[in-house]
Structure formats: C-alpha cells, structure tokens
Amino acid sequence: AQSVTQPDIHITVSEGASLELRCNYSYGATPYLFWYVQSPGQGLQLLLKYFSGDTLVQGIKGFEAEFKRSQSSFNLRKPSVHWSDAAEYFCAVGADNNNDMRFGAGTRLTVKP
Amino acid sequence: DAGITQSPRHKVTETGTPVTLRCHQTENHRYMYWYRQDPGHGLRLIHYSYGVKDTDKGEVSDGYSVSRSKTEDFLLTLESATSSQTSVYFCAISGQGDTEAFFGQGTRLTVV
C-alpha cells in the first residue's frame, strides 16, 4: 500500500516569510497527491491536488506544490505566510481508484508576528 | 462545506459499551470513509465503502465494524469500546475516479 512521510512535526515561521512543508510518498505507480489543512477543532480542507499533467499545481490561499517523481516528493510552498495560515497541514496519497487514501502524520505550522 | 454531517459531535462512553457513529451525506457520492485522527499518526483509515452494502477494511480496522444500507449513510460501530479507541473520528466522501475527499467536522469520542 502507499504511504506518506512528513518529516517535520512542527515548523515555526515569521509572518511574511516563505514556507515550504515537505512530503515524501511511496507508491509504485503514478500517485494521486493531496495537501489538506486543518484548523483547530475543524475538519480537513483541501488546499490542492495533483493527478497528472503540470507538476506545479496551484491551490487555494496562495499555496502551491510541486510533484517531483525522481524524489518521490510533493512539497507545499507559499511565498509569504500570513498569521491565518497557522494550522496543521496533511499530505495524502491516493491509489488509482481512490479507495485508500493514506495520510502523513501532519506538520503543525506556527506563525510568529 | 460539502453536505456531510457527523453525529454525535462529542461522546463519552464507558469501556465495554457499544458505540455507533453516524455519517450522513447529501452529495450522492459513491465512496465513504471512516478515519481516526491521533497525535503523531495523522489520519488512519478504519473502513471504507464503495457502494451500498460494499465495504472493505482499512489499515486500523480491528475493533470496528461498518454498515452502509443506504447511499447517504455510513455507520461506524465499536462493538465493545476500549480506551485505545479514544480519538477523533472523521468521515469523508468522494466521487468516482480522481476527485478529492470531503471531510466532515469530526466526532470526538472519549472512552473512560
């Protein structure tokens, strides 16, 4: 089965600074890749997804992610972080038929004023 | 928000008692999922359904059963709750093919 690793449990950045959250996946075929964000006490909201085509995908709230097959990575980026971006971020990988989506352990983002 | 409702939103129960969590959708999506979320583990799939009466196990299915008698409802049952099942449970739905999963607001279950 596919799996996901998010190496960073917690990241702190200053407001206005750039952000990169790492995600590495393991899957034999072309994966379906997702980034979700979860605010405290809330469900998960999709930021962006990759299925095929252009390896740089744009999402909501100014986020983007790049699929790099050679590195089995799908890192999330944002050029300038806002205080409202403080949340937990989850990377996920899906199989061909999307029956079994696997999540990483999450990265908690703190934004300093 | 996608039309997903989880009930109850919070529950405290005693060890050994049965518990049923309900997920209701109004989107007519084929796939429904139950996840549990625990610190350091992210979300782990318990069971999923790919149609009425069609279900399969996920990676952490022991101690849980599910049923789907209607497209819109997916029930998760803990036959005999244990303290290790204290968690936040999320229901998710998705359509056919390569669509995203939409999540409910979660159910916080405490087993004492």
Side-chain angles (χ1 to χ4, degrees):
Chain A
Q2 63 271 33
S3 65
V4 176
T5 301
Q6 293 181 246
D8 304 305
I9 296 173
H10 183 208
I11 284 183
T12 299
V13 299
S14 298
E15 191 168 15
S18 63
L19 171 70
E20 182 168 27
L21 303 182
R22 296 184 289 165
C23 172
N24 294 100
Y25 70 89
S26 174
Y27 185 59
T30 299
Y32 297 157
L33 294 163
F34 308 82
W35 274 101
Y36 285 86
V37 61
Q38 184 182 34
S39 298
Q42 300 297 311
L44 278 73
Q45 180 184 23
L46 182 73
L47 285 175
L48 47 77
K49 59 187 177 184
Y50 171 81
F51 293 132
S52 64
D54 193 347
T55 57
L56 183 64
V57 294
Q58 302 297 320
I60 62 171
K61 303 183 180 186
F63 285 93
E64 66 177 26
E66 186 171 11
F67 171 56
K68 293 185 177 180
R69 184 187 301 275
S70 62
Q71 298 177 19
S72 298
S73 69
F74 188 58
N75 294 349
L76 182 71
R77 301 193 294 249
K78 186 170 184 178
S80 178
V81 169
H82 188 263
W83 64 267
S84 61
D85 293 324
E88 188 145 23
Y89 292 80
F90 293 94
C91 181
V93 58
D96 292 359
N97 55 10
N98 206 28
N99 282 353
D100 190 356
M101 185 183 295
R102 297 294 177 104
F103 284 79
T107 298
R108 183 161 62 91
L109 174 66
T110 298
V111 180
K112 294 190 303 184
Chain B
D1 291 342
I4 309 172
T5 304
Q6 291 186 231
S7 58
R9 291 293 312 280
H10 302 271
K11 186 170 182 65
V12 180
T13 192
E14 293 185 349
T15 299
T17 61
V19 177
T20 295
L21 308 183
R22 179 177 183 243
C23 178
H24 178 77
Q25 62 148 328
T26 58
E27 305 296 322
N28 201 35
H29 279 347
R30 178 180 178 185
Y31 296 98
M32 299 186 76
Y33 310 82
W34 277 108
Y35 290 88
R36 60 177 290 173
Q37 183 178 25
D38 304 288
H41 292 279
L43 279 81
R44 292 179 291 175
L45 183 65
I46 304 171
H47 283 279
Y48 64 93
S49 169
Y50 47 95
V52 173
K53 297 185 180 178
D54 291 324
T55 66
D56 206 347
K57 296 178 179 180
E59 59 180 310
V60 290
S61 59
D62 287 348
Y64 301 94
S65 63
V66 290
S67 66
R68 192 169 178 196
S69 59
K70 298 185 291 184
T71 299
E72 57 266 35
D73 290 325
F74 192 34
L75 304 181
L76 175 71
T77 297
L78 290 65
E79 302 290 347
S80 177
T82 68
S83 58
S84 65
Q85 293 175 312
T86 292
S87 186
V88 180
Y89 291 85
F90 285 98
C91 175
I93 63 174
S94 69
Q96 182 71 39
D98 58 358
T99 54
E100 69 191 78
F102 297 93
F103 284 82
Q105 293 297 299
T107 294
R108 182 173 295 277
L109 176 67
T110 303
V111 183
V112 297

